[in-house]
Amino acid sequence: ARAMQAMKRKKMYEQQRDTLMGSQFTMEQMAFNLEQAEATATTVAAMKAGTEKLKEQMKSMSPEQVDEVMDDMAEINDEFELVSQALASTAGGGVDDAELMDEYLRMEEEMALSKVMEGGSGLTAATPAP
């Protein structure tokens, strides 16, 4: 009889344990859901504030204004490019490749002549490519 009572008590304790574990799980799930709800509410509030700020910022500009600014920037860039090209063309002094090649050949001849004067052969096998 004592063994039977011990088994009944054990069964009762197991049921209480299962009930308490179920309650604990339910409480933990509720706490998690509450945290999620708070995070969602914070996110929605931030999104709302951001949207309001964007609306406020958009009042100060329009697509037409942005297009106008972009056109102005393109015009300034074009003018700057023209100035840069003008500076580049005058910086070279107007010397073309043919003039440079002629000068190079004269220098080669002078070097060959100076070698001949010093007693060297003065002949160069290399000729510049045009």
Side-chain angles (χ1 to χ4, degrees), residues 37-123:
E38 289 173 354
T40 300
T42 301
T43 302
V44 170
M47 290 171 65
K48 184 176 180 181
T51 301
E52 292 301 318
K53 187 69 173 172
L54 279 172
K55 284 180 184 178
E56 186 179 313
Q57 290 293 323
M58 288 304 295
K59 287 179 185 177
S60 67
M61 69 180 117
S62 69
E64 292 80 20
Q65 289 172 324
V66 172
D67 284 342
E68 185 177 325
V69 168
M70 295 303 290
D71 289 344
D72 289 347
M73 285 176 54
E75 188 176 316
I76 290 170
N77 284 336
D78 290 344
E79 289 176 17
F80 181 75
E81 184 65 30
L82 290 173
V83 169
S84 294
Q85 288 175 359
L87 288 174
S89 67
T90 59
V95 178
D96 65 1
D97 288 342
E99 290 178 20
L100 291 174
M101 183 56 74
D102 289 343
E103 184 177 348
Y104 176 76
L105 292 174
R106 277 195 304 276
M107 290 173 66
E108 283 282 315
E109 288 175 14
E110 288 175 12
M111 287 175 50
L113 185 59
S114 71
K115 282 188 178 184
V116 168
M117 296 282 216
E118 293 174 4
S121 70
L123 299 175

